[in-house]
Amino acid sequence: MSDSVNQPRTFEVLTAAPVRARRKPRDWPNEEEERLIAETLLPGANVSAIARAEGLDPSQLYGSRRKALSSGLVAPLTETAKKEVKFARVEPVASSTVEIVLGDVVVRVDGDIESDHLVKILRAVRKA
């Protein structure tokens, strides 16, 4: 028989991080709640980051925001969504003629045009 007591053994040590204590729901004044909800409705706002900065659980701020939106008392900004986005494409060419494409309008100008006159033309095209 072999002596199993004196044989080399391998042990694995498991470590665990403590479980983070859950934040208590926080009651705050209506003015502060309205300020936070308004901040979350700004374009590009990160609700989770705003909540963490205020020491809140993100789910609590999401819930308050959801209630405010469903009540109809607040609405997200939609003005930027209504504006049409137009892009200009400029392609380099080897000649002295420059072609500027604005949406479905093409403006061709020679290299000897005055810059003030070109600015007036482009503004007129954009307004049209």
Side-chain angles (χ1 to χ4, degrees):
M1 263 210 238
S2 70
D3 187 9
S4 63
V5 176
N6 293 326
Q7 296 294 327
R9 296 183 186 179
T10 305
F11 293 95
E12 184 175 344
V13 178
L14 300 175
T15 59
V19 177
R20 183 175 62 118
R22 185 176 169 166
R23 294 181 185 137
K24 288 183 178 180
R26 178 177 152 192
D27 291 324
W28 59 81
N30 287 340
E31 295 82 22
E32 187 176 348
E33 183 177 11
E34 290 168 1
R35 178 186 62 81
L36 290 174
I37 291 171
E39 193 174 334
T40 65
L41 295 174
L42 294 174
N46 183 333
V47 178
S48 296
I50 293 169
R52 284 189 209 103
E54 295 291 328
L56 299 170
D57 243 6
S59 62
Q60 187 178 10
L61 189 54
Y62 273 111
S64 297
R65 182 178 186 239
R66 192 177 315 111
K67 286 178 190 174
L69 288 170
S70 66
S71 71
L73 295 175
V74 295
L77 296 175
T78 57
E79 291 179 20
T80 55
K82 291 180 183 177
K83 291 182 182 177
E84 183 180 335
V85 177
K86 296 182 180 180
F87 296 94
R89 184 182 74 213
V90 178
E91 296 179 11
V93 291
S95 70
S96 63
T97 303
V98 176
E99 187 175 286
I100 302 170
V101 180
L102 295 170
D104 58 345
V105 177
V106 178
V107 178
R108 289 184 189 93
V109 294
D110 287 328
D112 59 348
I113 190 169
E114 293 181 21
S115 60
D116 294 335
H117 188 65
L118 179 60
V119 168
K120 289 177 185 176
I121 292 171
L122 293 176
R123 284 186 182 153
V125 170
R126 284 187 181 161
K127 287 181 182 179

